[in-house]
Amino acid sequence: MAEQTDEYAVVVGATGTLGGAIARRLTKRGLRVVAVGRDREKLARLAGESELVVPCRADIATDEAIDTINGAIGGPVRMAVMCAGLPVRGSALTIETGGLATAANIKVDGLVRLLRAVEHGLGQDSRLVVITGFLAAEPTAHEAAPGAINAAVHNLVRQIAELLGPRGTTVHAVSPGPVDTERIRTIGRRIAEERGITLEEAMDEYRKGSSLGELVTVDQVAWAATILLDAEARALHGSTLAVSGGRLKGIF
């Protein structure tokens, strides 16, 4: 456990598997973490794990989240993490009409809302981190929203890097491959149903996408996000950290 500081971190999506893991690691680095999510009970459980967690019930898909998050911050912002998940699933043939717009409101507009909520607290050596996904560079037929929307997020990350760089704040994307969570199994079940295969066959296809034959773990993604606190991470400003286990073949 690092010595506690007066600095804050903000994690949007803290009640999710990845966001929760990142929040826990950030408290171990001594930061007071504003945990942003919609589920009051999950926020309370997370806050019960550490006195450094500040529960903040807000929906990043709405503009009201800006003031709510801003009001929960009581000091300089060392790191802000956008880790909201997408509820929209399906290929271009099966995704609900308007699904891409819904996804863009959460991930793209949501990133803008987070930026505006924390902007006053960002300064020299602050970090703005966005968890994206490898489908932005390696699209598949089955996931229209994660591919298209995360590609837009990568573009926005580079724009924001140009805006914040002069004040010494660095901006980063962390792009995992499929992560070993219940969520990926839910997606695998849907793909299995669409293609007439078993869930295990669908999961094996995910694993075979990596030359290691394995999925990325939650702890690996959380580690990648939190090492960006290190001073050396300034060299990664405006770039994407691929945490794909060798799955990524394209170039961001």
Side-chain angles (χ1 to χ4, degrees), residues 7 50 96 104 161 174 240 245-246:
E7 296 177 312
S50 171
E96 63 186 66
V174 175
T240 298

Side-chain angles (χ1 to χ4, degrees), residues 139-212:
T140 72
H142 302 291
E143 293 294 337
I149 301 309
N150 280 322
V153 169
H154 280 280
N155 186 284
L156 185 57
V157 163
R158 292 176 182 178
Q159 294 180 42
I160 297 173
E162 291 294 314
L163 289 171
L164 298 186
R167 71 171 68 182
T169 295
T170 65
V171 184
H172 309 266
V174 175
S175 183
V179 184
D180 192 3
T181 63
E182 182 55 35
R183 183 183 181 191
I184 200 68
R185 288 176 175 77
T186 299
I187 297 171
R189 291 185 189 95
R190 181 183 50 74
I191 292 174
E193 291 174 1
E194 288 181 358
R195 296 177 53 195
I197 61 177
T198 67
L199 171 60
E200 195 54 35
E201 287 172 328
M203 296 304 297
D204 279 342
E205 290 187 5
Y206 276 123
R207 296 185 187 100
K208 289 175 183 177
S210 163
S211 58
L212 294 172

Side-chain angles (χ1 to χ4, degrees), residues 1-243:
M1 176 72 75
E3 183 179 350
Q4 184 177 338
T5 74
D6 63 351
E7 296 177 312
Y8 279 70
V10 177
V11 180
V12 174
T15 55
T17 303
L18 282 179
I22 293 169
R24 293 180 184 96
R25 279 185 175 261
L26 290 172
T27 62
K28 291 178 180 178
R29 296 288 292 260
L31 296 172
R32 189 171 296 279
V33 176
V34 176
V36 181
R38 295 179 299 171
D39 191 312
R40 193 186 305 275
E41 292 184 1
K42 289 182 179 179
L43 286 172
R45 286 198 294 271
L46 184 60
E49 296 179 20
S50 171
E51 63 181 10
L52 293 178
V53 174
V54 180
C56 179
R57 188 167 180 264
D59 184 353
I60 201 64
T62 68
D63 287 350
E64 287 77 11
I66 298 172
D67 288 339
T68 303
I69 295 170
N70 186 297
I73 299 169
V77 177
R78 183 72 171 85
M79 175 177 278
V81 184
M82 178 64 175
C83 194
L86 289 178
V88 182
R89 304 253 67 95
S91 69
L93 290 174
T94 60
I95 192 171
E96 63 186 66
T97 303
L100 289 176
T102 298
N105 182 45
I106 295 170
K107 293 281 282 192
V108 182
D109 286 335
L111 175 55
V112 171
R113 294 181 184 108
L114 174 60
L115 173 62
R116 294 184 182 178
V118 303
E119 190 266 342
H120 72 287
L122 299 175
Q124 185 69 27
D125 279 332
S126 295
R127 307 282 188 254
L128 178 63
V129 179
V130 186
I131 309 300
T132 63
F134 84 107
L135 292 176
E138 303 280 358
T140 72
H142 302 291
E143 293 294 337
I149 301 309
N150 280 322
V153 169
H154 280 280
N155 186 284
L156 185 57
V157 163
R158 292 176 182 178
Q159 294 180 42
I160 297 173
E162 291 294 314
L163 289 171
L164 298 186
R167 71 171 68 182
T169 295
T170 65
V171 184
H172 309 266
V174 175
S175 183
V179 184
D180 192 3
T181 63
E182 182 55 35
R183 183 183 181 191
I184 200 68
R185 288 176 175 77
T186 299
I187 297 171
R189 291 185 189 95
R190 181 183 50 74
I191 292 174
E193 291 174 1
E194 288 181 358
R195 296 177 53 195
I197 61 177
T198 67
L199 171 60
E200 195 54 35
E201 287 172 328
M203 296 304 297
D204 279 342
E205 290 187 5
Y206 276 123
R207 296 185 187 100
K208 289 175 183 177
S210 163
S211 58
L212 294 172
E214 59 192 38
L215 298 175
V216 174
T217 70
V218 171
D219 283 342
Q220 288 166 344
V221 179
W223 163 81
T226 52
I227 61 168
L228 294 172
L229 287 169
D230 295 345
E232 294 82 356
R234 290 176 67 83
L236 299 176
H237 175 53
S239 67
T240 298
L241 186 58
V243 189

